[in-house]
């Protein structure tokens, strides 16, 4: 996704077409042979194609496609979505007239034309030092390649803040373990974060004079809850069309070589079927409303500690009268289950495999 040679685009898109067909064959088999009260499937080629092929999908950009290669890639992308539309129609048909069908995305998409090299900005401001051998490179790379550990990029004796993954748009502040040790003393943490956030908000694009960072969210604001201590200390909301990189670059802000796709907060929520209203445009929902809505559609109570709420406006008055929204007990605390000695090694191997997959997906 970071730098695919033009010669590999066609096969890469065809791979996603084949993969979605395979998922659909599994969906078809399970819905016909092993039906369940709740069935869910994710076609994530939608995400991958919009990241890499946005310039072939957005009508305004695609209109400028001139070469035969560009036109061919656009046609292949359209074929992917055409086939996917067919899969969705088939799933609705397989579900039957009594089913309730929800289509939800965890984000939307838009174009990205600039990259903010936040770790290079931190270096310039004196918050970070790169480890020896990490050179500044021109290019559009956002993350380290493969399964390399991004923490290996930094000289930790001289680094107090860093970004580890581009997709999280989060900055982590290093806490000093003792007086005189590298990092930020706990007593100075709040003031340090505020100064850092204010400095980021002052950074402007020299070409336009426009701020690069629209908002800075501090940990307690962005990630309230019991596990807030595991979240980034600062989360950045960049200006429209700007993405973040953790790599070292000669320039703090640069134009992308090719327009790409980037996540935007607004996603989609579609619903149809028995007991759901038709032809209605709902007011905006929160992503946390999805789970309570699906639980209610299954006739289940919604745990009292859920953050989201049932999208009651999506259901008909008759449906709500027959099956009112019910609030149930809070979710249970996670429970530990003993692992037999002979299973411990296998469990460790499974955990290592999961961690490698999460790294490959960019989540770690």
């Amino acid at each position: 996704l970071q730098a695919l040679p033009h010669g590999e685009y066609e096969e890469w898109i065809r791979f996603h077409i084949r993969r979605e067909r395979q998922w659909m064959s599994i969906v078809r088999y399970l819905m016909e042979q092993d039906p369940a009260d709740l069935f869910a499937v994710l076609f994530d080629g939608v995400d991958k194609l919009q990241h890499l092929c946005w310039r072939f999908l957005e009508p305004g950009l695609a209109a400028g496609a001139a070469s035969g290669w560009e036109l061919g890639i656009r046609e292949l992308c359209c074929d992917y979505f055409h086939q996917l539309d067919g899969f969705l129609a088939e799933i609705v048909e397989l579900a039957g007239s009594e089913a309730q069908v929800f289509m939800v995305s965890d984000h939307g998409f838009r174009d990205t034309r600039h990259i903010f090299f936040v770790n290079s900005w931190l270096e310039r401001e004196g918050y970070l030092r790169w480890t020896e051998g990490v050179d500044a490179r021109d290019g559009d790379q956002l993350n380290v390649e493969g399964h390399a550990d991004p923490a290996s990029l930094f000289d930790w004796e001289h680094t107090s803040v860093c970004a580890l993954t581009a997709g999280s748009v989060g900055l982590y502040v290093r806490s000093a373990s003792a007086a005189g040790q590298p990092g930020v003393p706990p007593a100075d943490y709040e003031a340090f974060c505020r100064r850092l956030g204010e400095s980021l908000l002052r950074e402007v694009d020299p070409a336009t004079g426009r701020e690069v960072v629209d908002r800075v969210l501090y940990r307690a604001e962005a990630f309230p809850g019991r596990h807030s201590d595991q979240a980034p200390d600062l989360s950045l909301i960049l200006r429209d069309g700007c993405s973040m990189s953790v790599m070292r670059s000669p320039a703090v802000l640069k134009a992308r070589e090719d327009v790409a796709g980037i996540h935007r907060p607004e996603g989609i929520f579609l619903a149809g079927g028995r007991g759901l209203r038709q032809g209605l445009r709902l007011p905006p929902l929160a992503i946390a409303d999805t789970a309570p809505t699906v639980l209610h559609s299954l006739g289940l109570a919604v745990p009292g500690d859920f953050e989201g709420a049932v999208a009651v406006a999506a259901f008909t008055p008759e449906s709500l009268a027959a099956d009112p929204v019910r609030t149930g007990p809070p979710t249970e605390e996670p429970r530990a289950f003993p692992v037999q000695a002979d299973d411990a090694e296998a469990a460790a191997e499974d955990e290592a495999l999961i961690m490698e997959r999460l790294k490959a997906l960019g989540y770690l």
Side-chain angles (χ1 to χ4, degrees):
L1 287 176
Q2 296 193 89
L4 189 69
H6 284 188
E8 296 181 19
Y9 269 66
E10 182 176 343
E11 175 53 31
W12 185 83
I13 298 168
R14 293 190 187 280
F15 163 77
H16 284 88
I17 292 174
R18 292 195 302 271
R19 192 175 65 161
E20 309 301 35
R21 285 177 181 165
Q22 177 68 1
W23 279 121
M24 187 59 214
S25 70
I26 296 170
V27 169
R28 189 180 297 113
Y29 177 84
L30 290 175
M31 293 186 76
E32 292 177 342
Q33 304 298 325
D34 190 17
D37 292 330
L38 173 65
F39 189 91
V41 61
L42 168 66
F43 295 106
D44 81 331
V46 175
D47 179 272
K48 302 300 186 290
L49 261 71
Q50 288 185 101
H51 273 301
L52 189 65
C53 301
W54 186 264
R55 64 189 188 277
F56 306 111
L57 297 169
E58 185 181 313
L61 294 172
S67 71
W69 176 79
E70 291 173 320
L71 293 172
I73 295 301
R74 172 172 167 75
E75 184 177 345
L76 200 55
C77 288
C78 290
D79 182 45
Y80 167 87
F81 284 102
H82 177 76
Q83 293 193 45
L84 188 64
D85 283 347
F87 297 155
L88 298 178
E90 185 179 353
I91 290 171
V92 172
E93 183 178 356
L94 287 169
S97 60
E98 290 299 302
Q100 294 179 335
V101 181
F102 299 91
M103 186 187 301
V104 183
S105 73
D106 55 338
H107 55 75
F109 260 93
R110 63 155 296 147
D111 61 305
T112 168
R113 299 167 184 265
H114 292 83
I115 301 175
F116 179 40
F117 291 87
V118 67
N119 284 329
S120 289
W121 182 89
L122 291 168
E123 176 192 26
R124 190 191 74 190
E125 299 297 312
Y127 293 107
L128 176 150
R129 184 180 295 181
W130 302 91
T131 192
E132 188 174 349
V134 176
D135 298 323
R137 297 190 295 173
D138 286 315
D140 289 359
Q141 189 174 345
L142 303 183
N143 287 302
V144 294
E145 295 174 351
H147 296 171
D149 183 359
S152 65
L153 297 172
F154 313 118
D155 175 354
W156 289 103
E157 288 295 311
H158 301 91
T159 294
S160 55
V161 189
C162 70
L164 296 172
T165 62
S168 68
V169 290
L171 301 183
Y172 291 86
V173 176
R174 184 179 186 189
S175 179
S177 55
Q181 293 297 310
V184 179
D188 299 337
Y189 172 80
E190 294 291 341
F192 177 88
C193 287
R194 293 290 169 182
R195 288 196 304 272
L196 176 61
E198 290 165 2
S199 296
L200 284 159
L201 290 170
R202 289 194 294 268
E203 182 67 22
V204 298
D205 181 348
T208 64
R210 183 185 171 188
E211 289 81 4
V212 175
V213 180
D214 280 346
R215 288 182 64 196
V216 174
L217 302 178
Y218 299 95
R219 173 190 279 170
E221 178 185 6
F223 297 97
R226 292 177 297 170
H227 303 291
S228 182
D229 61 317
Q230 299 178 35
D233 298 275
L234 290 81
S235 296
L236 309 184
I237 298 178
L238 303 179
R239 76 180 196 197
D240 286 348
C242 192
S243 48
M244 191 177 90
S245 173
V246 304
M247 306 306 292
R248 191 177 190 184
S249 170
V252 167
L253 184 73
K254 70 178 287 287
R256 297 188 70 106
E257 296 169 4
D258 291 311
V259 177
I262 191 174
H263 296 174
R264 60 178 297 171
E266 297 80 16
I268 63 166
F269 177 95
L270 305 173
R274 175 184 52 82
L276 289 160
R277 298 174 68 181
Q278 298 183 28
L280 173 70
R281 184 179 180 89
L282 294 174
L285 301 172
I287 192 170
D289 296 338
T290 302
T293 302
V294 172
L295 286 173
H296 173 70
S297 79
L298 292 165
L300 301 174
V302 178
D305 59 340
F306 264 32
E307 292 181 31
V310 175
V312 292
F315 296 88
T316 64
E318 296 78 12
S319 171
L320 292 170
D323 184 19
V325 174
R326 293 181 293 119
T327 301
T331 50
E332 297 182 9
E333 288 292 320
R335 289 175 290 168
F337 294 91
V339 177
Q340 300 297 325
D342 56 349
D343 293 336
E345 184 176 347
E349 292 176 356
D350 288 344
E351 183 174 354
L353 179 60
I354 291 170
M355 297 298 286
E356 285 301 306
R357 288 175 175 172
L358 289 173
K359 286 183 180 180
L361 290 169
Y363 292 117
L364 295 177

